[in-house]
Amino acid sequence: MQDSVRKQRAIVLAVILLAPLAYLFLFHDAIPQTKGYHAFADARTCLGIRNFGNVMSNLAFLLVGLAGMWWCARRQTTGARMAWLVFFSGVALTCVGSSYYHWRPDDDRLVWDRLPMTLAFVGLFAAMLSEHIDAKLEYAVLWPGLIIGIGSVLWWRYSDDLQIGRAHV
């Protein structure tokens, strides 16, 4: 890929990502997690499992995550292998975190639902950048992205603000 095309893609991507973040940071107050967030469609107990449908539907995440991790293990070193491994690991762990949360939904358990999803989102983002813009971006985006992503979940739990970087606790 030509350097000029690569630079244009990077600039467009940066604007698409940073413009909404700048707007939220500059012009929006804190965004608290609504308490009604924890009311889900299936509140039935089945086989001793509370919220059975919400909990058991997470098994699909485990199956997809394990299949993807197997695919990554068999794949050679081409492409964004580490980013894909983080993505599929996050998908598999979403089964555990989301099941734990949906079994008895509250803000404390929601942390464990959001953390593995954060791994998956960051892994997918790093893989896409690496494979479509520049392979060097895999590690440059993956590790800082994981730190920022995990930090954003912890920040929300600490401050009850879904925006990271605000100092109005």
Side-chain angles (χ1 to χ4, degrees):
M1 182 184 311
Q2 294 176 350
D3 285 341
S4 63
V5 172
R6 188 175 294 137
K7 286 179 185 178
Q8 288 173 343
R9 284 185 178 181
I11 290 168
V12 168
L13 182 64
V15 169
I16 289 171
L17 290 174
L18 296 177
L21 293 175
Y23 169 78
L24 285 173
F25 186 76
L26 295 171
F27 303 110
H28 204 285
D29 292 333
I31 302 174
Q33 179 66 62
T34 60
K35 297 306 171 199
Y37 182 83
H38 304 299
F40 293 98
D42 188 6
R44 297 173 292 171
T45 298
C46 183
L47 303 173
I49 300 172
R50 296 174 53 160
N51 306 317
F52 182 82
N54 297 325
V55 171
M56 297 309 290
S57 65
N58 289 296
L59 287 176
F61 289 113
L62 180 62
L63 296 175
V64 170
L66 291 175
M69 290 165 58
W70 178 80
W71 174 77
C72 287
R74 296 179 45 88
R75 191 171 181 198
Q76 298 301 317
T77 58
T78 60
R81 185 170 183 235
M82 181 57 72
W84 285 117
L85 185 59
V86 169
F87 168 71
F88 286 116
S89 298
V91 170
L93 289 170
T94 294
C95 173
V96 177
S98 190
S99 295
Y100 176 71
Y101 165 67
H102 284 282
W103 182 55
R104 196 178 310 241
D106 64 21
D107 283 354
D108 290 331
R109 288 172 176 252
L110 185 54
V111 169
W112 299 106
D113 187 25
R114 288 183 173 164
L115 282 173
M117 285 191 278
T118 299
L119 299 180
F121 295 146
V122 171
L124 180 61
F125 183 65
M128 293 292 102
L129 289 178
S130 175
E131 290 189 358
H132 294 284
I133 294 179
D134 190 338
K136 295 175 188 172
L137 291 174
E138 180 180 17
Y139 292 105
V141 170
L142 184 62
W143 302 118
L146 289 171
I147 292 167
I148 292 168
I150 291 167
S152 72
V153 173
L154 298 176
W155 173 260
W156 158 73
R157 190 61 197 115
Y158 169 75
S159 68
D160 192 31
D161 184 359
L162 291 167
Q163 297 182 89
I164 189 167
R166 298 295 243 171
H168 51 256
V169 181

